[in-house]
Amino acid sequence: MKKIGVLTSGGDSPGMNAAIRAVVRKAIFHGLEVYGIYNGYAGLITGNIKKLEIGSVGDIIHRGGTMLYTARCEEFKTLEGQVQGIEQLKKFGIEGLVVIGGDGSYRGAQKLTEHGYPTIGVPGTIDNDIPGTDFTIGFDTALNTVIDAIDKIRDTATSHERTYIIEVMGRDAGDLALWSGLADGAETIIIPEAQYDMGQIVERLERGHKRGKKHSIIIVAEGVGSGVEFAKQIEEATNLETRVTVLGHIQRGGRPTGSDRVLASRLGAKAVELLLEGKAGVTVGIQNNKLVYHDITEILKVPHSIDLEMYKLSQELSI
Ligand code: ADP
């Protein structure tokens, strides 16, 4: 293998740049040429491809977003789109591809592999919803962004003796909600992976209020429903003044944390190593702080799971 390509796809996440940098530098270290495919699979289809040098990835390790840009591309879900993409790669002489993204991007990578094109997936998403890895690139940064926001909201919640509902991202996964809720001592965390009982939530709020709590923080994962709807229900049931904050896209940006930069550097470099070893159709991950890889088709069959012990703990600590 002499030439490889790298692209970022789907939702961006902080640390994607550090992963791109690692892919490029590791490849050049081993004497390979590296090509950046811009705008995800959309740029693959149209041939928006440029050679990257050591300097192309300078000064990006600390920046959020992705220097290769990203896009959602419906056309790539069709056989025609995939064939066009492979033709572009062949035109540039690119023999292997690293795809950094979430599970949608992995499905694109799986298709390329099925067509015989060596592709490696690197988990980049703030949602932490990719099986086969304990953490995805961007989760830690998003977690800290959410914590920072909740800390600020907590000040106002205390000053005004209000109940605050905070809706956090995560698509169908509750990881960001659970981790931020535990880290911030939220009274209640509502996630898609666990049943909740509105009666119990209300009871807990009223109990807290009676014992003189100045505020209550409730974290709602977007996968469960709208924070605004929860607020309405809670206000009707308790008469406590309730406010909602939907954190939205501030969760996706920002300087990656140290953990995300290190994770991205390790996973990006591992992807290149695997291509050099002749592996294809695999995804890299970190489990128990060891770099691992798994078959992409198998990984896409595994449902996302959450640590329910942690959920239980969050309930025990917020009595
Ligand atoms: P993420 O990678 O963050 O989960 P998406 O689900 O939007 O984001 O997927 C990103 C892109 O991956 C899609 O816009 C599409 O181009 C490609 N993709 C998703 N699903 C498939 C599929 N089944 N086959 C081929 N490509 C896919």
Side-chain angles (χ1 to χ4, degrees), residues 9-11 41 71-74 76-77 82 101-108 111 124-125 171:
S9 164
Y41 292 121
R72 296 211 152 89
C73 172
E74 283 303 309
F76 200 72
K77 293 183 180 170
Q82 293 153 18
D103 63 344
S105 307
Y106 272 23
R107 286 183 204 283
K111 290 283 179 246
T125 162
R171 294 216 294 194

Side-chain angles (χ1 to χ4, degrees), residues 37 81 127 160 206-207 215 300 314:
I37 293 120
D127 303 333
H160 289 271
E206 285 176 337
R207 204 169 55 227
H215 62 254
L300 285 169
S314 75

Side-chain angles (χ1 to χ4, degrees), residues 9-287:
S9 164
D12 69 328
S13 72
M16 277 184 164
N17 275 328
I20 296 166
R21 173 181 178 273
V23 169
V24 171
R25 298 261 168 109
K26 178 79 173 169
I28 293 174
F29 177 83
H30 288 287
L32 303 177
E33 278 183 24
V34 197
Y35 289 78
I37 293 120
Y38 289 77
N39 294 319
Y41 292 121
L44 184 58
I45 291 176
T46 57
N48 191 355
I49 300 174
K50 292 187 193 90
K51 192 170 174 214
L52 299 174
E53 309 289 350
I54 297 175
S56 314
V57 290
D59 208 24
I60 62 164
I61 194 166
H62 61 301
R63 293 185 204 278
T66 158
M67 66 162 274
L68 292 177
Y69 305 105
T70 179
R72 296 211 152 89
C73 172
E74 283 303 309
E75 206 184 335
F76 200 72
K77 293 183 180 170
T78 66
L79 177 63
E80 209 185 3
Q82 293 153 18
V83 169
Q84 273 180 33
I86 293 176
E87 275 169 10
Q88 292 289 358
L89 290 165
K90 288 192 173 151
K91 208 165 90 188
F92 282 83
I94 300 167
E95 299 152 284
L97 182 67
V98 177
V99 170
I100 306 166
D103 63 344
S105 307
Y106 272 23
R107 286 183 204 283
Q110 179 196 28
K111 290 283 179 246
L112 288 172
T113 302
E114 277 173 14
H115 300 316
Y117 195 87
T119 308
I120 310 275
V122 175
T125 162
I126 63 163
D127 303 333
N128 211 40
D129 59 349
I130 308 274
T133 187
D134 295 342
F135 297 105
T136 57
I137 298 165
F139 174 67
D140 186 63
T141 306
L143 170 64
N144 281 285
T145 301
V146 174
I147 289 171
D148 189 47
I150 301 174
D151 286 348
K152 287 176 177 147
I153 290 167
R154 182 185 278 280
D155 289 345
T156 302
T158 308
S159 304
H160 289 271
E161 303 198 16
R162 280 178 187 153
T163 300
Y164 264 87
I165 309 248
I166 301 163
E167 184 189 309
V168 308
M169 280 183 163
R171 294 216 294 194
D172 297 328
D175 295 53
L176 205 46
L178 177 58
W179 282 65
S180 59
L182 189 56
D184 239 297
E187 276 67 28
T188 301
I189 304 169
I190 308 176
I191 54 172
E193 295 88 347
Q195 296 279 340
Y196 67 91
D197 175 337
M198 202 43 122
Q200 270 178 15
I201 294 172
V202 167
E203 199 186 297
R204 183 188 290 250
L205 280 174
E206 285 176 337
R207 204 169 55 227
H209 190 64
K210 275 199 198 109
R211 78 166 166 87
K213 276 189 84 141
K214 295 276 183 238
H215 62 254
S216 289
I217 303 271
I218 299 177
I219 311 285
V220 178
E222 67 174 347
V224 181
S226 145
V228 176
E229 277 307 311
F230 275 97
K232 265 196 214 141
Q233 290 177 35
I234 285 170
E235 205 155 43
E236 274 165 21
T238 62
N239 267 333
L240 295 173
E241 204 181 345
T242 307
R243 290 283 186 277
V244 188
T245 302
V246 180
L247 292 180
H249 280 84
I250 63 159
Q251 294 163 95
R252 289 255 292 268
R255 288 171 62 226
T257 58
S259 292
D260 269 331
R261 296 182 204 190
V262 170
L263 179 65
S265 300
R266 293 176 76 189
L267 293 180
K270 182 72 180 173
V272 174
E273 257 175 40
L274 291 172
L275 277 177
L276 283 170
E277 286 169 16
K279 303 270 187 329
V282 296
T283 72
V284 293
I286 189 153
Q287 288 175 321

